[in-house]
Each structure stands twice: as C-alpha cells, then as structure tokens.
Amino acid sequence: MPEIHTIPEGGITTPLGFSGAGLAAGLKRSGALDLALVYSQAPCSAAAVFTTNRVKAAPVLYDQRILQQNASGIHACLINSGCANACTGAAGEAAAQEMAQEAERTLGLPRNSALVMSTGVIGQQLPLDKIKAALPAIANSLSADPEDGLAAAQAIMTTDTCPKSFAVRVQTEAGSFAIGGMAKGSGMIHPNMATMLAVLTTDATVAAPALDAALRAVLDGSFHAITVDGDTSTNDTVLVLANGQSATPAIAEPAGDLYQAFVAGLLHVAQHLAQEIVRDGEGATHLVQIDVHGAASPEDAKHVAKAIANSLLVKTAIYGRDANWGRILCAAGYSGADLDPDQVDLWLGDLHIVHEGKPHDVNEERALDILARYEVTITLDLHLGTGEATVWTSDLSHRYVDINAHYRT
Amino acid sequence: MPEIHTIPEGGITTPLGFSGAGLAAGLKRSGALDLALVYSQAPCSAAAVFTTNRVKAAPVLYDQRILQQNASGIHACLINSGCANACTGAAGEAAAQEMAQEAERTLGLPRNSALVMSTGVIGQQLPLDKIKAALPAIANSLSADPEDGLAAAQAIMTTDTCPKSFAVRVQTEAGSFAIGGMAKGSGMIHPNMATMLAVLTTDATVAAPALDAALRAVLDGSFHAITVDGDTSTNDTVLVLANGQSATPAIAEPAGDLYQAFVAGLLHVAQHLAQEIVRDGEGATHLVQIDVHGAASPEDAKHVAKAIANSLLVKTAIYGRDANWGRILCAAGYSGADLDPDQVDLWLGDLHIVHEGKPHDVNEERALDILARYEVTITLDLHLGTGEATVWTSDLSHRYVDINAHYRT
C-alpha cells in the first residue's frame, strides 16, 4: 500500500517542474487577483472532465478540442476570473483561442499546448486586451515557490472566501511522486452562477489514457460527490497535468500497483479540494456528509444521497439545528431509487434516530449536540442490497440568500 | 364553448349537495382549526392522484385501497392537520382506517365510503382520541354555507398564511354545473415537510373512470405545474368528488362536449388553487411563471421549465430583483432537455433579453421595473420543435430560510 503524506503549504507547484503565478489584470473591479498561470517546461499528459451542461462556455469548447488533438503535449493553463466567457457566441470562441495562443507566444510554447479556463460574469465578452497586457508580467513571475502556487489559487476565486490549495507526496516501493492541486468553488457573483474549477498537477509519469482513466476513477468520490445548490455551471472543469519529472517508472496503462497508488493519491487530493469547496459553500455553517448503504445499486445509493443533499428542507433544517429526520426520509422517498419505507434505518451522527422506517432513538438533546458541531454525518441503510455512496454538502443559511440575491445592493 | 363564471366566496360547498365543516380538535397546540369534513348525502364518483414519493403516509395507502374498491360510492372525506400520520408503520395504517370508519359510523354511512387525509408532523402517531371526540361536533356543524366551506379550508392549513378556496359555475348548452375546491400549500412545520392537499367537488354527473381521466387531464396544467422547493411530500393528494346533483346529463365517457366543458371547468379551479399555493409559498415575494416554447417535445419543455423553477440561483436572483439571465440559461442547460445554446431566445416579461444565446436587449432599468412587480413571467423559446410547458413557482427569500430553519426557536 502506498503511503500518502500531506505536504504543508502544498499546491500546484509542489510536484517537480511545475511553476505558478497569480496577478491582478484588472478584470475584477475590486483589484483582486484575477489571472492565474500553471506552467511546466516539460510537456504534460493531460486529462480533463468538463461540465455536462448543454450550455458550455467558450474555454470549455476550446479545451475539449485541444485535448483531442494534443493530450500528451500540454505545457500551460491560463485561467481568468471576473468573466466566464459563456453565452458569448463566435466572438467568445475566438477570444478563448486567442487567449490560449497569446499565452503560447508569450511563453515560447508550441501551438496547441496551452489550455484556458474562465470563471465570472456570464454574457460579457472577455476583456482580452487586459489579459494580453498582463501576460508578460505573469510569465515573468512564474515560480515553484508555494506562495506563487497560492497566488494562482487566489486568482481563480470568485466569491470563495479562501483559496483552496493542497498537495501530497505518494511513497511507493518504486519511489515517490507528488500530486498537487487548486480549486475554486461554487461562489457566484452577479450576473454569474456556480462554477467549479480545479487544476491538479503531478510529477508522476502517466500516459494520457491512463491519466484520463485515473481522473474518471476519482471523480465519483470527490468532485462528483459534492453539491452546494444542485446547479451545474457552464464552465465546470477539472484538469490534471502529469509532466513525468519524478523518478518513478512510467504508468502506461490504467492497471498495476503504481497506477493504483497514483489513483489513491489523486483521490486524496481531489477529495480534499472537493470538501474545501463545500466548507466554503456560500454561507455554509455545516459540512454535511451523507452516507448511504444497502441500496439496490450504487446508482440508487447516489440518487438517494444527492436527493437528500439537494433538499432545501433538509439543508435549512440542518442550518436550524433541527433533527428533522422526516425530511430526510422524504427526500430518499422521491429520489427515484428503489426503497422500502419499512426497512430504512437512519442515523444522525451516532444517534440511531429511525429504525425500520419508524422513529427509534429520537433523543432531541443528543440530536442538538450533534447538530451543534460543524461536521454532521447522516447515514442511511436501505437494507436492499450492497449499493453505497457518499456525498458532501453544505447547509442553507440566510447568508446564502444574501450572497445570491443582493450582490449588487 | 362553455362559459365559466367565478362564484364569489365559492368553495367545496358551492356544488349542490355538498356540505363542509371545520373545527379545532386540539391537534394543533395553537388551538387553530385542525379538522375538516367534506360530505355529500348522495354517493360520489371519486378520483384521486397521490404522491409519487416511495414513502407514502398511512392515509394515502388507505385511500388508494378504498378507491380501488369503491370509487363510485364515496360520501365523505375527513382531513386533519397537525399530524401527517407518516412514518408511523402498522399502527399508523390502523389509525387511518379507524379514522375513516369512525367517520362512517358517526355519519351513518356505508363501509368504505369515507376517505381520510392528514398533514402535519411526521413520525408521530395520530391522536385518534381527539379526532374521535370531535367527530360528533363536526358532523353536527356540517352545512352548505360558504363560511363552513371556508372553515374546512382553514382547518387543513399548516404554515399556509391564508385559506385557499374557489369555485366556478360552468354554463353549457346542456345546462350548468358547479365545481368547487380547497387546497393547502407546501407549508412546513417541524418536524414536517411540504404537503399539498386539494379536494375538488362537483355536482356534475361523471362516471368514476371519466372523472379519473378528467383529473389526470388537468394536473399538468395545475398542481403538477407548480413547485415551491422541489420536494415531493409523503402525503400529497388531490381528490375530486362528483355527486351528480346538477341537472346536466351524465358524463359516462371521457369524450364529448360536456366532458370537455367539465375538464375546462376543473382546470380553471385546479389552476387557480395551484397558483394560490405558489402565491402563499413560504416567504414568497414573487409569483413566477415560466413559459417554455419550441422544445423538442412537451417533456423537454417541462424539464426546462422545472429546472429553472427549482434553481436556487434563479429563485434568489428574482427575490433580489436581479435580471440574472445567465442563471436561467444555465438551468435550461442542465435540465437534460435537448437544447442548442446558440438558438435560445429569452424574455423577462416583454424584455427580449437574450437572442440566439447571446445578450440582446439587456436594459437593466426596464428589467428592474419588471422584477419590481409581484408577477414575473420568464419566456424561453428553444427553436427546436413544438413542445410547450408552463410552470409556476415562487422566489426564495430570507423568510423561507426563517420558516424552515427556525420553526422551533
């Protein structure tokens, strides 16, 4: 089994050969950091998963095209906040391409080796001049220093209250490699929507198809297992870059011990960043973990967990520290999953509150204690099969309504 | 075409031969009305549609059984608020049956001719003694007086702020009949959840299968077209009773002019009550109508309309009077419906804000005027086909969070 060690102050620049930078290009009126660059002199294998929304932002469409052509030769990813470049038509697609190609020119990179991401206001054309003007400065400030990795993480924030940056070292019998990452959460600014972006970096040597398999293997346990308000944005992107600068052997196929060690490390980083996004969910006062066991299938388990996680009634009850188990059973009931109401067991923390569909140990005092904690676990056993799923979510507070209703006032 | 006239102060007792009553049986600690009775001396054809939630309350299971056996011989419906009789196991099912049979005994009715509904706290056994004790008094106070119909509508309220009661007279070439109704909305009280109940009454003569067809024909345009928070409760029920006391000919089949006139009248009443529920949505400050045109299919149109209606981001934006069209397109994009982002047109009221997927007439001042009104219409044209749907919803306000988080404090 690989040993996975957290690296203090780790991030996208922790793996060998990666550098990062963040600066203020003037896209945010506040003057905050709004342009981030991730760079590797050695070419990277790359894999990405994009939003399933039918309305896809221009940078998503651009990156999909580049990755089809050149998934083994990526050197950089340039990311702006302050403008999503979504619903911008052909002009927006041309802007995404020019943003990437200008980054390639500035960094002296081959054609089609830079990717782009955008997050922020929808329906406005990208202020390309500001990005172009800032490119020489951001290229000059690239470094492997943890502070510059953190600056990149700060530059991709929208209403996130803190940067999300993390890295681990994975120790295997064949040597060690590092995996780092940064993410931004579902913060929303007017007239904008939830966007989740993540960039993961590693100095392991992983062929592009194996990297793609590894990314897809960890999503269900990380970024696909979180939900803040159930909306899927036009820009959601998770990208992983592997530059092969560690001494560990190459992972050519999605199989074997080293591949499994890589997946374990990638899951660790992705899960940490995903949980950070939920912790920083807008106005969140609780991190809620929903564990579903005994479902007829893994898909059913996921449906139940997500229905509970997305129920406004459940989320407001947890905010109000109200042990409202009826709302939890109700959400399970309409999830679409196979369910026998008379067989469901439900725990709030370690309090066995429902047994076989009926109230069991409804100790209001203990329930209040459990709900007074920041982290709350809801466990359901459907007693129908072996399907399992875990989902993380935040509660729904007055602050959420404030942030999303009154950004302009 | 039939003429449909609204009856001032109309309700469940407007159709000939129906009487109603409401009283306080002590189920609500507040002392408010909590027991309602609808009665017809003449036997009624009955049809009902129940919650699709897999967790069904005991009265839902009971009524389903009775309607299978005796859909042409129903005389009464006894409804309590204050206790949902859900998640109460075998004891709860026995209680629902005893509630119905005790009503039959008190009213001198044949077996299996009374239905029951419950709404309120989940997971608590029904206080059957209080209901039994109140039955003689409520039977005695039955009358066709509009005030008693209104008392019944009051007695089924939970966190509704006002009773919902309505009736029309349908004038046809073959004579006239009346249709009345009452409903309660998705008010939630601890530890309870949204429940929508409606009872519709008519003195038209409609055979049970035709009545069932008529009810199902009007749901998509009324109770199935509203959403407050997307949760489907354990108790949701819409019941229609037809006692044949008008002079119009019998409607034996779901076809023909008279049947169509009946459907038109039923839709009118159901739609009015459904909109009343949304108007009284918890903390609602806007009634939002979402019209989708040009979808590839009617199902797609409904998916798009419901995704928009249930988006927290859209709902909070409308509460904040923020013309956040990006959130609307985004919700359409993840609805699962066929959609070409470059073909979508979007109107806020009569403001053509998006044309072919891109911002068009984004007049913020006019948008603010439109959003300052209580009723807001969002219109989408997908330009893909002929599928259409309309959905009504409320916005998401601070009050919603208050009501659902802090009921006990």
Side-chain angles (χ1 to χ4, degrees):
Chain A
M1 292 296 290
E3 285 177 29
I4 298 174
H5 303 283
T6 301
I7 314 247
E9 300 182 18
I12 50 157
T13 64
T14 301
L16 290 172
F18 281 99
S19 53
L23 60 66
L27 283 79
K28 287 181 183 163
R29 274 174 301 178
S30 65
L33 302 187
D34 50 20
L35 195 64
L37 183 58
V38 183
Y39 173 76
S40 165
Q41 193 172 354
C44 301
S45 307
V49 172
F50 299 98
T51 180
T52 56
N53 200 309
R54 296 294 285 264
V55 182
K56 293 188 206 310
V60 167
L61 298 170
Y62 182 78
D63 289 356
Q64 287 181 327
R65 208 168 68 231
I66 296 301
L67 287 175
Q68 275 168 14
Q69 297 169 8
N70 195 26
S72 301
I74 301 299
H75 285 274
C77 184
L78 181 63
I79 310 169
N80 74 277
S81 53
C83 174
N85 193 8
C87 302
T88 46
E93 292 183 35
Q97 175 170 318
E98 198 170 339
M99 176 172 165
Q101 294 181 347
E102 189 70 19
E104 287 160 2
R105 276 190 288 274
T106 305
L107 294 162
L109 294 174
R111 203 63 181 273
N112 296 342
S113 70
L115 301 173
V116 285
M117 299 184 193
S118 297
T119 178
V121 181
I122 270 209
Q124 296 188 1
Q125 294 296 338
L126 198 64
L128 203 50
D129 289 348
K130 291 179 181 175
I131 293 174
K132 282 183 178 178
L135 263 170
I138 198 166
N140 273 330
S141 62
L142 279 172
S143 94
D145 194 291
E147 274 183 31
D148 286 301
L150 190 65
Q154 283 168 331
I156 65 174
M157 290 164 57
T158 51
T159 57
D160 302 68
T161 65
C162 55
K164 292 149 195 80
S165 186
F166 190 64
V168 298
R169 175 156 297 282
V170 181
Q171 187 72 50
T172 73
E173 287 177 6
S176 83
F177 53 85
I179 304 175
M182 66 179 185
K184 73 160 295 285
S186 39
M188 284 141 266
I189 50 171
H190 166 78
N192 192 15
M193 62 188 66
T195 290
M196 198 277 292
L197 298 180
V199 179
L200 307 169
T201 55
T202 181
D203 49 21
T205 308
V206 194
L211 193 63
D212 190 68
L215 179 59
R216 288 171 199 281
V218 307
L219 281 178
D220 270 355
S222 59
F223 296 111
H224 280 177
I226 59 172
T227 175
V228 171
D229 49 27
D231 281 32
T232 304
S233 104
T234 51
N235 292 58
D236 292 345
T237 303
V238 180
L239 169 69
V240 55
L241 299 172
N243 70 358
Q245 298 300 292
S246 74
T248 45
I251 300 171
E253 299 290 333
D257 286 353
L258 197 57
Y259 172 76
Q260 294 303 341
F262 178 70
V263 168
L266 197 67
L267 177 62
H268 198 89
V269 174
Q271 197 170 84
H272 181 95
L273 291 172
Q275 290 187 10
E276 286 293 306
I277 288 171
V278 175
R279 278 175 210 274
D280 199 19
E282 292 177 333
T285 68
H286 286 90
L287 173 67
V288 186
Q289 175 168 328
I290 297 146
D291 289 323
V292 175
H293 304 276
S297 69
E299 294 71 36
D300 269 14
K302 195 111 189 176
H303 285 144
V304 169
K306 289 227 164 175
I308 295 168
N310 283 323
S311 164
L312 271 65
L313 296 176
V314 171
K315 289 158 89 83
T316 45
I318 290 168
Y319 170 59
R321 300 185 182 181
D322 181 352
N324 201 325
W325 57 268
R327 292 181 180 178
I328 299 169
L329 285 194
C330 180
Y334 66 68
S335 68
D338 235 5
L339 186 145
D340 176 354
D342 295 332
Q343 285 196 56
V344 179
D345 277 40
L346 172 63
W347 290 260
L348 187 66
D350 59 351
L351 186 65
H352 192 170
I353 203 161
V354 172
H355 181 55
E356 295 179 350
K358 290 177 287 299
H360 181 63
D361 184 12
V362 186
N363 182 328
E364 293 278 354
E365 206 169 317
R366 279 197 54 214
L368 194 62
D369 277 351
I370 289 165
L371 289 169
R373 292 175 215 147
Y374 175 73
E375 298 196 5
V376 173
T377 302
I378 293 169
T379 309
L380 264 89
D381 194 334
L382 306 185
H383 295 293
L384 289 181
T386 57
E388 293 188 345
T390 294
V391 161
W392 294 276
T393 192
S394 52
D395 56 356
L396 179 63
S397 70
H398 287 95
R399 273 292 292 157
Y400 179 92
V401 179
D402 279 334
I403 293 169
N404 286 298
H406 294 307
Y407 185 78
R408 297 198 289 184
T409 55
Chain B
M1 292 296 292
E3 285 176 30
I4 298 174
H5 303 283
T6 301
I7 312 238
E9 299 181 19
I12 50 158
T13 63
T14 301
L16 290 172
F18 281 99
S19 54
L23 60 66
L27 283 79
K28 286 181 183 164
R29 274 174 302 178
S30 64
L33 302 187
D34 51 20
L35 195 65
L37 184 58
V38 182
Y39 172 77
S40 166
Q41 193 172 354
C44 300
S45 306
V49 172
F50 299 98
T51 180
T52 56
N53 199 308
R54 297 293 284 263
V55 181
K56 292 186 204 311
V60 167
L61 297 171
Y62 182 78
D63 288 357
Q64 286 181 326
R65 208 167 70 230
I66 295 301
L67 287 175
Q68 275 168 14
Q69 296 169 8
N70 195 28
S72 301
I74 302 300
H75 284 274
C77 184
L78 181 64
I79 310 168
N80 73 276
S81 53
C83 174
N85 194 8
C87 302
T88 46
E93 291 183 34
Q97 176 169 318
E98 197 170 340
M99 176 172 165
Q101 294 182 346
E102 189 71 19
E104 286 160 3
R105 276 190 288 274
T106 304
L107 294 161
L109 294 175
R111 202 63 180 274
N112 296 343
S113 71
L115 301 173
V116 285
M117 299 183 195
S118 297
T119 178
V121 181
I122 271 210
Q124 295 187 3
Q125 293 296 339
L126 198 63
L128 204 51
D129 289 349
K130 291 179 181 174
I131 294 174
K132 282 183 177 177
L135 263 169
I138 198 166
N140 273 331
S141 63
L142 279 171
S143 95
D145 194 291
E147 276 183 31
D148 287 300
L150 190 65
Q154 285 169 328
I156 64 174
M157 290 163 58
T158 51
T159 56
D160 301 68
T161 64
C162 57
K164 292 149 196 76
S165 185
F166 190 66
V168 298
R169 175 156 298 282
V170 181
Q171 187 72 50
T172 74
E173 287 176 7
S176 82
F177 54 86
I179 304 175
M182 66 180 184
K184 72 161 295 283
S186 41
M188 285 141 264
I189 50 170
H190 167 79
N192 191 15
M193 62 186 67
T195 290
M196 198 278 292
L197 298 181
V199 179
L200 307 169
T201 56
T202 182
D203 49 21
T205 308
V206 193
L211 193 62
D212 190 67
L215 180 58
R216 286 170 200 280
V218 306
L219 281 179
D220 269 355
S222 58
F223 297 111
H224 280 178
I226 59 171
T227 174
V228 171
D229 49 27
D231 281 32
T232 305
S233 105
T234 51
N235 292 57
D236 292 346
T237 303
V238 180
L239 169 69
V240 54
L241 299 171
N243 70 359
Q245 298 300 292
S246 75
T248 45
I251 300 170
E253 300 289 332
D257 286 353
L258 197 56
Y259 171 76
Q260 295 303 341
F262 178 70
V263 168
L266 196 66
L267 176 62
H268 197 90
V269 174
Q271 197 169 84
H272 181 95
L273 290 171
Q275 289 187 11
E276 287 292 307
I277 287 172
V278 175
R279 278 174 211 275
D280 200 19
E282 293 176 335
T285 69
H286 286 91
L287 173 66
V288 186
Q289 175 169 327
I290 297 147
D291 288 323
V292 176
H293 305 276
S297 68
E299 295 70 35
D300 269 14
K302 196 114 189 174
H303 285 144
V304 168
K306 288 226 163 174
I308 295 167
N310 284 322
S311 165
L312 270 66
L313 295 176
V314 172
K315 290 158 89 83
T316 46
I318 291 168
Y319 171 59
R321 300 184 182 182
D322 181 354
N324 200 325
W325 57 269
R327 293 181 178 177
I328 299 170
L329 285 194
C330 180
Y334 66 68
S335 67
D338 234 4
L339 186 145
D340 176 354
D342 294 332
Q343 286 198 56
V344 179
D345 278 39
L346 172 62
W347 290 260
L348 187 66
D350 59 353
L351 186 65
H352 192 171
I353 203 160
V354 171
H355 180 54
E356 295 179 350
K358 289 177 289 298
H360 181 64
D361 184 12
V362 186
N363 182 328
E364 293 279 354
E365 206 168 318
R366 279 196 55 214
L368 193 62
D369 277 352
I370 289 165
L371 289 169
R373 293 174 214 147
Y374 174 75
E375 299 197 5
V376 173
T377 301
I378 293 169
T379 309
L380 264 87
D381 194 332
L382 306 185
H383 295 293
L384 290 181
T386 57
E388 294 188 345
T390 294
V391 161
W392 294 275
T393 191
S394 53
D395 56 356
L396 178 63
S397 70
H398 287 95
R399 274 291 292 155
Y400 179 93
V401 179
D402 279 335
I403 293 169
N404 285 298
H406 294 307
Y407 187 78
R408 297 198 291 186
T409 53

